[in-house]
Structure formats: C-alpha cells, structure tokens
Amino acid sequence: MGSTNVLVSSPGKQPLFSFGVVSDVQHADIPDGHSFIGVPRYYRHSIRVLQRAVQKWNNHQNLNFVINFGDIVDGKCPPDQSLDAVKKVNNEFQKFKGPVFHLIGNHCLYNLPRDILLPLLKIPAPNGQAYYDISPGPEYRIVVLDGYDISAIGWPQVHPKTLQALEFLEKKNPNSDKNSPAGLLGLERRFVMFNGAVGREQLEWLDGILQDSTKLKQKVIVCCHLPLDPCASSQEALLWNYDEVMNVIHQYKCVKACLSGHDHKGRHCIDSHGIHHRSFEAALECPPETDAFGHIDVYDNRLLLCGTDRMQGTEMYFNP
Ligand SMILES: Nc1ccn([C@@H]2O[C@H](COP(=O)(O)OP(=O)(O)OC[C@H](O)CO)[C@@H](O)[C@H]2O)c(=O)n1
C-alpha cells in the first residue's frame, strides 16, 4: 500500500505548482458490491482511501490545492443518510491544509439536488451552475466544466434543463430504462441518463476563457467528471457532446490536458491535436488496504502525475 508510481523524476527542477487528485470515492455505509458489469466496489473502504490521500497530500507539504473529480457519495447510499454522508466525506477533504476544488458527478446528484450540494462543496458558481476556472499562477489556467449542465439528474423535475435532457434522451435512446445502453452501437452508447452535456452558455463561456488564456499566453488544463475523448473512456462513460466541447478546445493551442473521472478504470491517450486525456482510477474500486490517488507536478512543458498504488504514474509532455 502507498507505493508511488513516478516515471521520471526531475532532479533540480521545481514544478511551477502541484495539486492532489482523487476521483469517484462513492462512499456509502453499505456492504461491498459491484458495478453493472461486475467490477467490485468497496463503498465503506473508499473513505479510507480518501483519508490516506489527505494524509499523504498534507505530508507532501508542497501541494497548492486538491481537485476532487466528482462522485463523492454513491447513489446506493440510503436517501435518509445522503446529507450526512456528503458532509462526512467533505469533512475528510477539509482536513487537507489548503483549498479543495470539487467537480460534481452523477452520484453526487443522485444524493442531493444542486441547490444543497453546491453550497456544501463551496462550488463557486452562480445559478446552480458548477463550472468555473482556477488561476494557480500567471502561466496556467484550470477550467472546471459542469458535465451535468444539461442532465436529467440534479435539476428540479420541471427545470428547462431536465426537460431538454429528457427530450434529448428520448430521441437518442429507445430503451425504457434510459440508464441502459442496450442496443445502442459504438459511441452512441454514451446516450444514457448517467451522463450529461455541456450547455450552449457554458460552451460560450469556455470559448471566452480560451480566448482570454491565449491572449495571456496561459496554458490550460480542462477538468470534467465525464471524459472528453473516446480514447480515454469506455463508450458508455463519455460526455454526450464531447465532440462539440473538443471542437471548441481544438480551435486553440492553449489546452494541454483534459482530466476526468467517471470511467473508473484509469486511461491515458493523446488526441489528434496533441492534447493529453487522462481519466483517473476510482477510489471506490480499491480493495481494502489499496489506494488510488495522486498529485500532479506542473511544469512549463509537461504534467507529471505521481500516482499512488493503483493510480498509474503518467508523464504528459507537450509543446510549451
Ligand atoms: N451498462 C450500464 C451501466 C450502468 N447502468 C445503471 O446506471 C446507473 C449508474 O451506473 P453506475 O455504474 O453506478 O455509474 P458510475 O458513475 O459509477 O459509473 C459510470 C459508468 O458505469 C461508466 O461506464 C446504475 O443504476 C446502473 O445500474 C446500466 O443500467 N447499464
């Protein structure tokens, strides 16, 4: 337990900044189970993974902040325990001696509606939106996308965004259970209710941020609970409109990496425009006494993910 997977160390060269990463804790006080496709899930143990992550991040002493890639509590958490469970996991995050930035995932939204969840996690976004940007220094910008902006979960039942999502799912997925991708082919398998889309307004916001970053000569790291490229995701886990989001991103040269959760397995690839895509290994799928978390050292020309245990180390080089 606790072995660090670093591919190449940089003797003498200090990162510009560093941040901790963890994804899909999906804690619940319920017995172990498994995913729809039979992968074991350790709902009680996953909070231990988070506790060890926070301990290691604090011991590191040079981490500027932490990003949680979403799904802090599992949808199987008994509804009368949801609020306490979210508070309990958030309390563990708060033991990190620095800022923690949260992304929202489908499981967060199964447990709490946006108007309760977002203030609890101190997500700095108005009108129930959960997209925002972080400025860790003059050279970099981190963009956090809300992949459940258009979604059938999390908004009130009669909210225009819920209705838009349900109408979209009705057209794209003929199954009566909209969580089921049965019969959908290839990348169409992403049109299920446990995913969502980035709405028009958010796409325009992203475009503005990337214009601004280009002017300021900043490099950008995009974070979203849902993966943005099929090469770093199963077909079922992708953002509904990943292609529209990537079309915006590909108009600029400033985005160097897209980081995500949701897929659980842990994958890395480089797309046709040289952008790295890294989806993280889930804390939920760590058998007792194993771990999956890490930290990223950010340099001018690369991101170095130092993973612990089941989280693979990844070196992401790019043209500065
Ligand atoms: N093939 C599937 C997959 C899932 N479901 C049902 O959808 C709900 C959410 O699934 P779950 O696996 O819990 O979602 P995660 O966010 O943990 O994982 C993401 C995806 O699995 C990535 O591929 C749940 O009710 C499942 O039973 C389904 O019907 N069919």
PDB file of all heavy atoms in Angstrom, residues 24 26 35-37 41 71 74-76 106-107 110 148 177 179-182 189 192 194-195 225 234-237 262-264 284-285, ligand 1:
ATOM      1  N   ASP A  24     -14.022   9.621  -7.825  1.00  0.00           N
ATOM      2  CA  ASP A  24     -15.014   8.555  -7.612  1.00  0.00           C
ATOM      3  C   ASP A  24     -14.814   7.810  -6.292  1.00  0.00           C
ATOM      4  O   ASP A  24     -14.633   6.583  -6.281  1.00  0.00           O
ATOM      5  CB  ASP A  24     -14.994   7.587  -8.810  1.00  0.00           C
ATOM      6  CG  ASP A  24     -15.307   8.288 -10.119  1.00  0.00           C
ATOM      7  OD1 ASP A  24     -16.494   8.463 -10.422  1.00  0.00           O
ATOM      8  OD2 ASP A  24     -14.353   8.710 -10.809  1.00  0.00           O
ATOM      9  N   GLN A  26     -17.214   7.674  -4.035  1.00  0.00           N
ATOM     10  CA  GLN A  26     -18.517   6.964  -3.975  1.00  0.00           C
ATOM     11  C   GLN A  26     -18.727   6.203  -2.673  1.00  0.00           C
ATOM     12  O   GLN A  26     -19.126   5.024  -2.665  1.00  0.00           O
ATOM     13  CB  GLN A  26     -18.671   6.048  -5.211  1.00  0.00           C
ATOM     14  CG  GLN A  26     -18.905   6.856  -6.475  1.00  0.00           C
ATOM     15  CD  GLN A  26     -19.089   6.048  -7.755  1.00  0.00           C
ATOM     16  OE1 GLN A  26     -18.490   6.380  -8.770  1.00  0.00           O
ATOM     17  NE2 GLN A  26     -19.928   5.024  -7.731  1.00  0.00           N
ATOM     18  N   SER A  35     -20.175  -3.133  -9.845  1.00  0.00           N
ATOM     19  CA  SER A  35     -20.791  -2.267 -10.854  1.00  0.00           C
ATOM     20  C   SER A  35     -21.742  -3.098 -11.712  1.00  0.00           C
ATOM     21  O   SER A  35     -21.792  -4.337 -11.584  1.00  0.00           O
ATOM     22  CB  SER A  35     -19.711  -1.651 -11.743  1.00  0.00           C
ATOM     23  OG  SER A  35     -19.205  -2.640 -12.615  1.00  0.00           O
ATOM     24  N   PHE A  36     -22.406  -2.427 -12.616  1.00  0.00           N
ATOM     25  CA  PHE A  36     -23.350  -3.099 -13.525  1.00  0.00           C
ATOM     26  C   PHE A  36     -22.660  -4.207 -14.316  1.00  0.00           C
ATOM     27  O   PHE A  36     -23.260  -5.226 -14.616  1.00  0.00           O
ATOM     28  CB  PHE A  36     -23.945  -2.058 -14.482  1.00  0.00           C
ATOM     29  CG  PHE A  36     -25.107  -2.550 -15.273  1.00  0.00           C
ATOM     30  CD1 PHE A  36     -26.377  -2.600 -14.718  1.00  0.00           C
ATOM     31  CD2 PHE A  36     -24.924  -3.002 -16.581  1.00  0.00           C
ATOM     32  CE1 PHE A  36     -27.460  -3.072 -15.451  1.00  0.00           C
ATOM     33  CE2 PHE A  36     -26.000  -3.476 -17.318  1.00  0.00           C
ATOM     34  CZ  PHE A  36     -27.264  -3.508 -16.746  1.00  0.00           C
ATOM     35  N   ILE A  37     -21.359  -3.997 -14.619  1.00  0.00           N
ATOM     36  CA  ILE A  37     -20.644  -5.027 -15.398  1.00  0.00           C
ATOM     37  C   ILE A  37     -19.802  -5.942 -14.504  1.00  0.00           C
ATOM     38  O   ILE A  37     -18.946  -6.688 -14.973  1.00  0.00           O
ATOM     39  CB  ILE A  37     -19.780  -4.408 -16.523  1.00  0.00           C
ATOM     40  CG1 ILE A  37     -18.835  -3.340 -15.954  1.00  0.00           C
ATOM     41  CG2 ILE A  37     -20.640  -3.855 -17.643  1.00  0.00           C
ATOM     42  CD1 ILE A  37     -17.730  -2.943 -16.926  1.00  0.00           C
ATOM     43  N   ARG A  41     -16.921  -3.168  -5.977  1.00  0.00           N
ATOM     44  CA  ARG A  41     -16.967  -1.800  -5.430  1.00  0.00           C
ATOM     45  C   ARG A  41     -16.939  -1.896  -3.906  1.00  0.00           C
ATOM     46  O   ARG A  41     -17.708  -2.674  -3.332  1.00  0.00           O
ATOM     47  CB  ARG A  41     -18.230  -1.065  -5.918  1.00  0.00           C
ATOM     48  CG  ARG A  41     -18.193  -0.779  -7.404  1.00  0.00           C
ATOM     49  CD  ARG A  41     -19.398  -0.009  -7.916  1.00  0.00           C
ATOM     50  NE  ARG A  41     -19.098   0.550  -9.228  1.00  0.00           N
ATOM     51  CZ  ARG A  41     -19.897   1.347  -9.909  1.00  0.00           C
ATOM     52  NH1 ARG A  41     -21.067   1.689  -9.423  1.00  0.00           N
ATOM     53  NH2 ARG A  41     -19.529   1.823 -11.085  1.00  0.00           N
ATOM     54  N   ASP A  71     -18.291  12.549  -7.742  1.00  0.00           N
ATOM     55  CA  ASP A  71     -18.901  11.332  -7.199  1.00  0.00           C
ATOM     56  C   ASP A  71     -18.366  11.013  -5.799  1.00  0.00           C
ATOM     57  O   ASP A  71     -17.755   9.951  -5.571  1.00  0.00           O
ATOM     58  CB  ASP A  71     -18.673  10.122  -8.134  1.00  0.00           C
ATOM     59  CG  ASP A  71     -19.654  10.091  -9.293  1.00  0.00           C
ATOM     60  OD1 ASP A  71     -20.555  10.961  -9.339  1.00  0.00           O
ATOM     61  OD2 ASP A  71     -19.530   9.203 -10.140  1.00  0.00           O
ATOM     62  N   ASP A  74     -21.970   7.444  -3.100  1.00  0.00           N
ATOM     63  CA  ASP A  74     -22.620   6.577  -4.094  1.00  0.00           C
ATOM     64  C   ASP A  74     -24.148   6.726  -4.086  1.00  0.00           C
ATOM     65  O   ASP A  74     -24.753   7.001  -3.041  1.00  0.00           O
ATOM     66  CB  ASP A  74     -22.259   5.110  -3.825  1.00  0.00           C
ATOM     67  CG  ASP A  74     -22.587   4.244  -5.025  1.00  0.00           C
ATOM     68  OD1 ASP A  74     -21.709   4.117  -5.909  1.00  0.00           O
ATOM     69  OD2 ASP A  74     -23.716   3.720  -5.103  1.00  0.00           O
ATOM     70  N   GLY A  75     -24.723   6.485  -5.243  1.00  0.00           N
ATOM     71  CA  GLY A  75     -26.184   6.556  -5.389  1.00  0.00           C
ATOM     72  C   GLY A  75     -26.913   5.511  -4.561  1.00  0.00           C
ATOM     73  O   GLY A  75     -28.121   5.627  -4.342  1.00  0.00           O
ATOM     74  N   LYS A  76     -26.187   4.484  -4.111  1.00  0.00           N
ATOM     75  CA  LYS A  76     -26.839   3.444  -3.287  1.00  0.00           C
ATOM     76  C   LYS A  76     -26.901   3.840  -1.815  1.00  0.00           C
ATOM     77  O   LYS A  76     -27.424   3.084  -0.990  1.00  0.00           O
ATOM     78  CB  LYS A  76     -26.087   2.119  -3.420  1.00  0.00           C
ATOM     79  CG  LYS A  76     -26.290   1.498  -4.786  1.00  0.00           C
ATOM     80  CD  LYS A  76     -25.708   0.110  -4.874  1.00  0.00           C
ATOM     81  CE  LYS A  76     -26.054  -0.506  -6.225  1.00  0.00           C
ATOM     82  NZ  LYS A  76     -25.105  -1.535  -6.629  1.00  0.00           N
ATOM     83  N   ASN A 106     -22.497  12.315 -11.357  1.00  0.00           N
ATOM     84  CA  ASN A 106     -23.862  11.797 -11.307  1.00  0.00           C
ATOM     85  C   ASN A 106     -24.240  11.283  -9.916  1.00  0.00           C
ATOM     86  O   ASN A 106     -25.343  11.519  -9.425  1.00  0.00           O
ATOM     87  CB  ASN A 106     -24.068  10.687 -12.354  1.00  0.00           C
ATOM     88  CG  ASN A 106     -22.990   9.618 -12.340  1.00  0.00           C
ATOM     89  OD1 ASN A 106     -21.804   9.932 -12.209  1.00  0.00           O
ATOM     90  ND2 ASN A 106     -23.365   8.368 -12.483  1.00  0.00           N
ATOM     91  N   HIS A 107     -23.292  10.601  -9.236  1.00  0.00           N
ATOM     92  CA  HIS A 107     -23.634  10.052  -7.922  1.00  0.00           C
ATOM     93  C   HIS A 107     -23.862  11.141  -6.879  1.00  0.00           C
ATOM     94  O   HIS A 107     -24.679  10.971  -5.971  1.00  0.00           O
ATOM     95  CB  HIS A 107     -22.571   9.049  -7.459  1.00  0.00           C
ATOM     96  CG  HIS A 107     -22.678   7.746  -8.174  1.00  0.00           C
ATOM     97  ND1 HIS A 107     -23.458   6.699  -7.726  1.00  0.00           N
ATOM     98  CD2 HIS A 107     -22.136   7.325  -9.345  1.00  0.00           C
ATOM     99  CE1 HIS A 107     -23.383   5.683  -8.575  1.00  0.00           C
ATOM    100  NE2 HIS A 107     -22.568   6.044  -9.568  1.00  0.00           N
ATOM    101  N   TYR A 110     -27.399  12.094  -7.505  1.00  0.00           N
ATOM    102  CA  TYR A 110     -28.409  11.123  -7.053  1.00  0.00           C
ATOM    103  C   TYR A 110     -28.731  11.386  -5.576  1.00  0.00           C
ATOM    104  O   TYR A 110     -29.820  11.086  -5.108  1.00  0.00           O
ATOM    105  CB  TYR A 110     -27.905   9.678  -7.135  1.00  0.00           C
ATOM    106  CG  TYR A 110     -27.544   9.171  -8.522  1.00  0.00           C
ATOM    107  CD1 TYR A 110     -26.464   8.308  -8.711  1.00  0.00           C
ATOM    108  CD2 TYR A 110     -28.277   9.541  -9.642  1.00  0.00           C
ATOM    109  CE1 TYR A 110     -26.123   7.827  -9.963  1.00  0.00           C
ATOM    110  CE2 TYR A 110     -27.933   9.066 -10.909  1.00  0.00           C
ATOM    111  CZ  TYR A 110     -26.855   8.217 -11.058  1.00  0.00           C
ATOM    112  OH  TYR A 110     -26.519   7.752 -12.301  1.00  0.00           O
ATOM    113  N   TYR A 148     -22.843  17.912 -16.170  1.00  0.00           N
ATOM    114  CA  TYR A 148     -24.266  17.630 -15.934  1.00  0.00           C
ATOM    115  C   TYR A 148     -25.092  18.901 -16.043  1.00  0.00           C
ATOM    116  O   TYR A 148     -26.164  19.020 -15.458  1.00  0.00           O
ATOM    117  CB  TYR A 148     -24.464  16.929 -14.576  1.00  0.00           C
ATOM    118  CG  TYR A 148     -23.875  15.543 -14.627  1.00  0.00           C
ATOM    119  CD1 TYR A 148     -22.559  15.319 -14.242  1.00  0.00           C
ATOM    120  CD2 TYR A 148     -24.609  14.478 -15.140  1.00  0.00           C
ATOM    121  CE1 TYR A 148     -21.989  14.057 -14.348  1.00  0.00           C
ATOM    122  CE2 TYR A 148     -24.054  13.217 -15.253  1.00  0.00           C
ATOM    123  CZ  TYR A 148     -22.744  13.009 -14.855  1.00  0.00           C
ATOM    124  OH  TYR A 148     -22.183  11.756 -14.973  1.00  0.00           O
ATOM    125  N   ASP A 177     -35.599   1.978 -19.894  1.00  0.00           N
ATOM    126  CA  ASP A 177     -34.650   2.374 -18.843  1.00  0.00           C
ATOM    127  C   ASP A 177     -33.554   3.198 -19.518  1.00  0.00           C
ATOM    128  O   ASP A 177     -32.691   2.650 -20.214  1.00  0.00           O
ATOM    129  CB  ASP A 177     -34.064   1.125 -18.177  1.00  0.00           C
ATOM    130  CG  ASP A 177     -32.950   1.473 -17.195  1.00  0.00           C
ATOM    131  OD1 ASP A 177     -32.717   2.681 -16.954  1.00  0.00           O
ATOM    132  OD2 ASP A 177     -32.304   0.536 -16.682  1.00  0.00           O
ATOM    133  N   ASN A 179     -31.034   4.530 -18.394  1.00  0.00           N
ATOM    134  CA  ASN A 179     -29.671   4.236 -17.940  1.00  0.00           C
ATOM    135  C   ASN A 179     -29.057   3.106 -18.742  1.00  0.00           C
ATOM    136  O   ASN A 179     -27.862   2.829 -18.618  1.00  0.00           O
ATOM    137  CB  ASN A 179     -29.667   3.841 -16.455  1.00  0.00           C
ATOM    138  CG  ASN A 179     -29.380   5.034 -15.564  1.00  0.00           C
ATOM    139  OD1 ASN A 179     -28.672   5.950 -15.944  1.00  0.00           O
ATOM    140  ND2 ASN A 179     -29.944   5.012 -14.364  1.00  0.00           N
ATOM    141  N   SER A 180     -29.862   2.424 -19.535  1.00  0.00           N
ATOM    142  CA  SER A 180     -29.369   1.251 -20.260  1.00  0.00           C
ATOM    143  C   SER A 180     -28.910   1.619 -21.668  1.00  0.00           C
ATOM    144  O   SER A 180     -29.673   2.196 -22.451  1.00  0.00           O
ATOM    145  CB  SER A 180     -30.463   0.192 -20.336  1.00  0.00           C
ATOM    146  OG  SER A 180     -30.035  -0.828 -21.217  1.00  0.00           O
ATOM    147  N   PRO A 181     -27.664   1.220 -22.013  1.00  0.00           N
ATOM    148  CA  PRO A 181     -27.196   1.443 -23.388  1.00  0.00           C
ATOM    149  C   PRO A 181     -27.528   0.259 -24.305  1.00  0.00           C
ATOM    150  O   PRO A 181     -27.031   0.210 -25.439  1.00  0.00           O
ATOM    151  CB  PRO A 181     -25.671   1.581 -23.194  1.00  0.00           C
ATOM    152  CG  PRO A 181     -25.359   0.714 -22.015  1.00  0.00           C
ATOM    153  CD  PRO A 181     -26.600   0.683 -21.147  1.00  0.00           C
ATOM    154  N   ALA A 182     -28.352  -0.696 -23.841  1.00  0.00           N
ATOM    155  CA  ALA A 182     -28.635  -1.908 -24.633  1.00  0.00           C
ATOM    156  C   ALA A 182     -29.115  -1.524 -26.031  1.00  0.00           C
ATOM    157  O   ALA A 182     -29.995  -0.669 -26.184  1.00  0.00           O
ATOM    158  CB  ALA A 182     -29.685  -2.763 -23.921  1.00  0.00           C
ATOM    159  N   ARG A 189     -23.497   4.667 -27.436  1.00  0.00           N
ATOM    160  CA  ARG A 189     -23.758   4.063 -26.121  1.00  0.00           C
ATOM    161  C   ARG A 189     -23.620   5.087 -24.983  1.00  0.00           C
ATOM    162  O   ARG A 189     -23.986   4.831 -23.849  1.00  0.00           O
ATOM    163  CB  ARG A 189     -22.839   2.857 -25.884  1.00  0.00           C
ATOM    164  CG  ARG A 189     -23.163   1.709 -26.831  1.00  0.00           C
ATOM    165  CD  ARG A 189     -22.212   0.534 -26.655  1.00  0.00           C
ATOM    166  NE  ARG A 189     -22.376  -0.158 -25.386  1.00  0.00           N
ATOM    167  CZ  ARG A 189     -23.320  -1.035 -25.117  1.00  0.00           C
ATOM    168  NH1 ARG A 189     -24.223  -1.324 -26.036  1.00  0.00           N
ATOM    169  NH2 ARG A 189     -23.385  -1.629 -23.944  1.00  0.00           N
ATOM    170  N   VAL A 192     -26.960   7.808 -22.325  1.00  0.00           N
ATOM    171  CA  VAL A 192     -27.644   7.199 -21.180  1.00  0.00           C
ATOM    172  C   VAL A 192     -27.820   8.264 -20.090  1.00  0.00           C
ATOM    173  O   VAL A 192     -27.109   9.286 -20.082  1.00  0.00           O
ATOM    174  CB  VAL A 192     -26.839   5.994 -20.628  1.00  0.00           C
ATOM    175  CG1 VAL A 192     -27.030   4.767 -21.494  1.00  0.00           C
ATOM    176  CG2 VAL A 192     -25.359   6.321 -20.495  1.00  0.00           C
ATOM    177  N   PHE A 194     -27.044   8.384 -17.007  1.00  0.00           N
ATOM    178  CA  PHE A 194     -25.989   8.690 -16.028  1.00  0.00           C
ATOM    179  C   PHE A 194     -24.908   9.610 -16.593  1.00  0.00           C
ATOM    180  O   PHE A 194     -23.916   9.890 -15.920  1.00  0.00           O
ATOM    181  CB  PHE A 194     -25.408   7.425 -15.377  1.00  0.00           C
ATOM    182  CG  PHE A 194     -24.820   6.379 -16.294  1.00  0.00           C
ATOM    183  CD1 PHE A 194     -23.562   6.527 -16.841  1.00  0.00           C
ATOM    184  CD2 PHE A 194     -25.539   5.217 -16.580  1.00  0.00           C
ATOM    185  CE1 PHE A 194     -23.011   5.553 -17.660  1.00  0.00           C
ATOM    186  CE2 PHE A 194     -24.996   4.226 -17.402  1.00  0.00           C
ATOM    187  CZ  PHE A 194     -23.731   4.397 -17.941  1.00  0.00           C
ATOM    188  N   ASN A 195     -25.103  10.067 -17.857  1.00  0.00           N
ATOM    189  CA  ASN A 195     -24.207  11.089 -18.427  1.00  0.00           C
ATOM    190  C   ASN A 195     -24.978  12.390 -18.609  1.00  0.00           C
ATOM    191  O   ASN A 195     -26.149  12.493 -18.236  1.00  0.00           O
ATOM    192  CB  ASN A 195     -23.650  10.594 -19.765  1.00  0.00           C
ATOM    193  CG  ASN A 195     -22.767   9.362 -19.574  1.00  0.00           C
ATOM    194  OD1 ASN A 195     -22.143   9.211 -18.521  1.00  0.00           O
ATOM    195  ND2 ASN A 195     -22.708   8.497 -20.573  1.00  0.00           N
ATOM    196  N   HIS A 225     -15.908  15.846 -14.865  1.00  0.00           N
ATOM    197  CA  HIS A 225     -16.150  14.497 -14.331  1.00  0.00           C
ATOM    198  C   HIS A 225     -16.229  13.477 -15.473  1.00  0.00           C
ATOM    199  O   HIS A 225     -15.707  12.363 -15.373  1.00  0.00           O
ATOM    200  CB  HIS A 225     -17.440  14.475 -13.506  1.00  0.00           C
ATOM    201  CG  HIS A 225     -17.764  13.122 -12.967  1.00  0.00           C
ATOM    202  ND1 HIS A 225     -16.993  12.489 -12.018  1.00  0.00           N
ATOM    203  CD2 HIS A 225     -18.774  12.238 -13.272  1.00  0.00           C
ATOM    204  CE1 HIS A 225     -17.498  11.298 -11.750  1.00  0.00           C
ATOM    205  NE2 HIS A 225     -18.573  11.120 -12.495  1.00  0.00           N
ATOM    206  N   SER A 234     -14.546   4.420 -21.770  1.00  0.00           N
ATOM    207  CA  SER A 234     -15.435   3.441 -22.406  1.00  0.00           C
ATOM    208  C   SER A 234     -16.474   4.239 -23.191  1.00  0.00           C
ATOM    209  O   SER A 234     -16.696   5.427 -22.921  1.00  0.00           O
ATOM    210  CB  SER A 234     -16.117   2.582 -21.335  1.00  0.00           C
ATOM    211  OG  SER A 234     -17.007   3.388 -20.586  1.00  0.00           O
ATOM    212  N   GLN A 235     -17.121   3.581 -24.131  1.00  0.00           N
ATOM    213  CA  GLN A 235     -18.125   4.281 -24.959  1.00  0.00           C
ATOM    214  C   GLN A 235     -19.291   4.771 -24.105  1.00  0.00           C
ATOM    215  O   GLN A 235     -19.926   5.769 -24.428  1.00  0.00           O
ATOM    216  CB  GLN A 235     -18.638   3.323 -26.040  1.00  0.00           C
ATOM    217  CG  GLN A 235     -17.554   2.962 -27.039  1.00  0.00           C
ATOM    218  CD  GLN A 235     -17.920   1.774 -27.908  1.00  0.00           C
ATOM    219  OE1 GLN A 235     -18.712   0.907 -27.525  1.00  0.00           O
ATOM    220  NE2 GLN A 235     -17.337   1.716 -29.095  1.00  0.00           N
ATOM    221  N   GLU A 236     -19.542   4.089 -22.984  1.00  0.00           N
ATOM    222  CA  GLU A 236     -20.700   4.412 -22.132  1.00  0.00           C
ATOM    223  C   GLU A 236     -20.450   5.597 -21.209  1.00  0.00           C
ATOM    224  O   GLU A 236     -21.396   6.118 -20.622  1.00  0.00           O
ATOM    225  CB  GLU A 236     -21.096   3.212 -21.261  1.00  0.00           C
ATOM    226  CG  GLU A 236     -21.658   2.023 -21.996  1.00  0.00           C
ATOM    227  CD  GLU A 236     -20.569   1.119 -22.562  1.00  0.00           C
ATOM    228  OE1 GLU A 236     -19.380   1.386 -22.300  1.00  0.00           O
ATOM    229  OE2 GLU A 236     -20.912   0.171 -23.281  1.00  0.00           O
ATOM    230  N   ALA A 237     -19.181   5.990 -21.020  1.00  0.00           N
ATOM    231  CA  ALA A 237     -18.897   6.984 -19.971  1.00  0.00           C
ATOM    232  C   ALA A 237     -18.685   8.401 -20.505  1.00  0.00           C
ATOM    233  O   ALA A 237     -18.500   9.330 -19.729  1.00  0.00           O
ATOM    234  CB  ALA A 237     -17.672   6.538 -19.164  1.00  0.00           C
ATOM    235  N   HIS A 262     -15.163   9.276 -13.583  1.00  0.00           N
ATOM    236  CA  HIS A 262     -16.354   8.597 -14.120  1.00  0.00           C
ATOM    237  C   HIS A 262     -16.094   7.240 -14.777  1.00  0.00           C
ATOM    238  O   HIS A 262     -16.882   6.327 -14.617  1.00  0.00           O
ATOM    239  CB  HIS A 262     -17.061   9.511 -15.121  1.00  0.00           C
ATOM    240  CG  HIS A 262     -18.462   9.084 -15.490  1.00  0.00           C
ATOM    241  ND1 HIS A 262     -19.444   8.864 -14.566  1.00  0.00           N
ATOM    242  CD2 HIS A 262     -19.048   8.861 -16.704  1.00  0.00           C
ATOM    243  CE1 HIS A 262     -20.572   8.521 -15.183  1.00  0.00           C
ATOM    244  NE2 HIS A 262     -20.344   8.500 -16.485  1.00  0.00           N
ATOM    245  N   ASP A 263     -14.995   7.089 -15.522  1.00  0.00           N
ATOM    246  CA  ASP A 263     -14.752   5.845 -16.255  1.00  0.00           C
ATOM    247  C   ASP A 263     -14.226   4.737 -15.333  1.00  0.00           C
ATOM    248  O   ASP A 263     -14.328   3.553 -15.650  1.00  0.00           O
ATOM    249  CB  ASP A 263     -13.775   6.103 -17.402  1.00  0.00           C
ATOM    250  CG  ASP A 263     -13.626   4.893 -18.302  1.00  0.00           C
ATOM    251  OD1 ASP A 263     -14.652   4.415 -18.807  1.00  0.00           O
ATOM    252  OD2 ASP A 263     -12.491   4.402 -18.462  1.00  0.00           O
ATOM    253  N   HIS A 264     -13.599   5.170 -14.204  1.00  0.00           N
ATOM    254  CA  HIS A 264     -13.132   4.280 -13.118  1.00  0.00           C
ATOM    255  C   HIS A 264     -11.858   3.487 -13.414  1.00  0.00           C
ATOM    256  O   HIS A 264     -11.129   3.154 -12.503  1.00  0.00           O
ATOM    257  CB  HIS A 264     -14.221   3.275 -12.701  1.00  0.00           C
ATOM    258  CG  HIS A 264     -15.385   3.914 -12.017  1.00  0.00           C
ATOM    259  ND1 HIS A 264     -16.269   3.207 -11.247  1.00  0.00           N
ATOM    260  CD2 HIS A 264     -15.808   5.198 -11.967  1.00  0.00           C
ATOM    261  CE1 HIS A 264     -17.192   4.023 -10.773  1.00  0.00           C
ATOM    262  NE2 HIS A 264     -16.934   5.245 -11.211  1.00  0.00           N
ATOM    263  N   LEU A 284     -13.188   4.093  -5.307  1.00  0.00           N
ATOM    264  CA  LEU A 284     -14.212   3.098  -4.953  1.00  0.00           C
ATOM    265  C   LEU A 284     -13.801   1.661  -5.280  1.00  0.00           C
ATOM    266  O   LEU A 284     -14.254   0.724  -4.630  1.00  0.00           O
ATOM    267  CB  LEU A 284     -15.502   3.433  -5.725  1.00  0.00           C
ATOM    268  CG  LEU A 284     -16.659   2.451  -5.637  1.00  0.00           C
ATOM    269  CD1 LEU A 284     -17.269   2.454  -4.247  1.00  0.00           C
ATOM    270  CD2 LEU A 284     -17.715   2.761  -6.680  1.00  0.00           C
ATOM    271  N   GLU A 285     -12.975   1.509  -6.290  1.00  0.00           N
ATOM    272  CA  GLU A 285     -12.650   0.147  -6.759  1.00  0.00           C
ATOM    273  C   GLU A 285     -11.361  -0.393  -6.137  1.00  0.00           C
ATOM    274  O   GLU A 285     -10.826  -1.403  -6.602  1.00  0.00           O
ATOM    275  CB  GLU A 285     -12.619   0.128  -8.288  1.00  0.00           C
ATOM    276  CG  GLU A 285     -14.032   0.304  -8.839  1.00  0.00           C
ATOM    277  CD  GLU A 285     -14.135   0.365 -10.351  1.00  0.00           C
ATOM    278  OE1 GLU A 285     -13.117   0.121 -11.033  1.00  0.00           O
ATOM    279  OE2 GLU A 285     -15.236   0.669 -10.837  1.00  0.00           O
TER     280      GLU A 285
HETATM  281  N1  LIG B   1     -24.346  -0.570 -18.722  1.00  0.00           N
HETATM  282  C1  LIG B   1     -24.996   0.017 -17.689  1.00  0.00           C
HETATM  283  C2  LIG B   1     -24.291   0.803 -16.769  1.00  0.00           C
HETATM  284  C3  LIG B   1     -24.987   1.371 -15.727  1.00  0.00           C
HETATM  285  N2  LIG B   1     -26.320   1.156 -15.601  1.00  0.00           N
HETATM  286  C4  LIG B   1     -27.036   1.765 -14.477  1.00  0.00           C
HETATM  287  O1  LIG B   1     -26.805   3.159 -14.473  1.00  0.00           O
HETATM  288  C5  LIG B   1     -26.709   3.662 -13.158  1.00  0.00           C
HETATM  289  C6  LIG B   1     -25.364   4.336 -12.950  1.00  0.00           C
HETATM  290  O2  LIG B   1     -24.327   3.382 -13.171  1.00  0.00           O
HETATM  291  P1  LIG B   1     -23.024   3.332 -12.301  1.00  0.00           P
HETATM  292  O3  LIG B   1     -22.133   2.262 -12.825  1.00  0.00           O
HETATM  293  O4  LIG B   1     -23.376   3.287 -10.855  1.00  0.00           O
HETATM  294  O5  LIG B   1     -22.402   4.760 -12.648  1.00  0.00           O
HETATM  295  P2  LIG B   1     -20.932   5.235 -12.324  1.00  0.00           P
HETATM  296  O6  LIG B   1     -20.974   6.699 -12.451  1.00  0.00           O
HETATM  297  O7  LIG B   1     -20.458   4.647 -11.046  1.00  0.00           O
HETATM  298  O8  LIG B   1     -20.058   4.590 -13.457  1.00  0.00           O
HETATM  299  C7  LIG B   1     -20.061   5.134 -14.722  1.00  0.00           C
HETATM  300  C8  LIG B   1     -20.295   4.118 -15.762  1.00  0.00           C
HETATM  301  O9  LIG B   1     -20.546   2.826 -15.271  1.00  0.00           O
HETATM  302  C9  LIG B   1     -19.094   4.114 -16.664  1.00  0.00           C
HETATM  303  O10 LIG B   1     -19.246   3.191 -17.713  1.00  0.00           O
HETATM  304  C10 LIG B   1     -26.871   2.463 -12.241  1.00  0.00           C
HETATM  305  O11 LIG B   1     -28.221   2.412 -11.836  1.00  0.00           O
HETATM  306  C11 LIG B   1     -26.524   1.295 -13.132  1.00  0.00           C
HETATM  307  O12 LIG B   1     -27.100   0.097 -12.724  1.00  0.00           O
HETATM  308  C12 LIG B   1     -26.986   0.403 -16.514  1.00  0.00           C
HETATM  309  O13 LIG B   1     -28.208   0.220 -16.400  1.00  0.00           O
HETATM  310  N3  LIG B   1     -26.319  -0.158 -17.552  1.00  0.00           N
END
